[in-house]
Amino acid sequence: MDVVSVPAGGGEVLTGPNRIRILEDGSNTGHRIGLIEARLPPGIGGPPQHIHREHSETFYVVSGTMRFTSADQSVDVAAGGLVTAPVGAPHTFSNPDPDEWTMFVCTVAPDLYIGYFREVTALQVEHGGVDEKTLLKVMARYATEPYRPPGP
């Protein structure tokens, strides 16, 4: 068979607080795209607002609600909604619901950021969490920088 199939529950499972499952790490797409499924616990904030310089992301909300923030604007996206963060767009996300988990599928194109998910999850498991300074260092290795609002 020439196509690659990932069975339900398959893929590379990263054991961490966000329950990430890598469905395509780019090795089957010439590194043009990577795909993850992830879950966010109730009420959890996401990474610091950041900008990708070499890849774009799309987030398809499968269940629950995700709050996306870009610069000083936020939008809540319910299941069935999609958000795209093009190269250069500041963004972050969170789960604003205090009771319900959120599940989403995220593409990264090209697949550069798949390594970030692996690295951060390993640090979370090894150290019981990751401080913002360490997180920003890891992001920098994947052409990502923190968003800094324009000054006066």
Side-chain angles (χ1 to χ4, degrees):
M1 181 176 251
D2 291 332
V3 298
V4 178
S5 172
V6 178
E12 178 185 346
V13 177
L14 304 178
T15 56
N18 292 352
R19 299 184 186 175
I20 295 173
R21 185 166 67 115
I22 299 172
L23 301 170
E24 172 55 57
D25 67 1
S27 61
N28 297 301
T29 65
H31 301 285
R32 288 183 296 278
I33 192 167
L35 182 82
I36 68 161
E37 172 192 87
R39 300 168 195 267
L40 292 176
I44 193 165
Q49 197 165 172
H50 56 279
I51 298 171
H52 301 299
R53 294 297 181 193
E54 296 181 12
H55 76 277
S56 60
E57 294 177 316
T58 60
F59 300 85
Y60 177 75
V61 182
V62 175
S63 65
T65 299
M66 289 180 72
R67 177 167 294 148
F68 291 90
T69 301
S70 180
D72 63 351
Q73 297 181 329
S74 294
V75 63
D76 287 353
V77 179
L82 178 87
V83 169
T84 299
V87 170
H91 65 284
T92 189
F93 56 87
S94 62
N95 177 356
D97 192 298
D99 302 312
E100 184 180 346
W101 280 75
T102 295
M103 183 169 72
F104 65 96
V105 173
C106 176
T107 64
V108 292
D111 69 338
L112 175 67
Y113 224 50
I114 297 295
Y116 165 84
F117 297 122
R118 288 175 173 143
E119 197 170 333
V120 166
T121 299
L123 286 170
Q124 288 172 331
V125 170
E126 184 177 326
H127 300 290
V130 181
D131 63 81
E132 187 169 325
K133 183 179 176 183
T134 301
L135 186 66
L136 293 175
K137 283 183 183 179
V138 175
M139 285 180 164
R141 288 196 283 275
Y142 297 94
T144 299
E145 61 196 49
Y147 169 67
R148 302 212 191 302

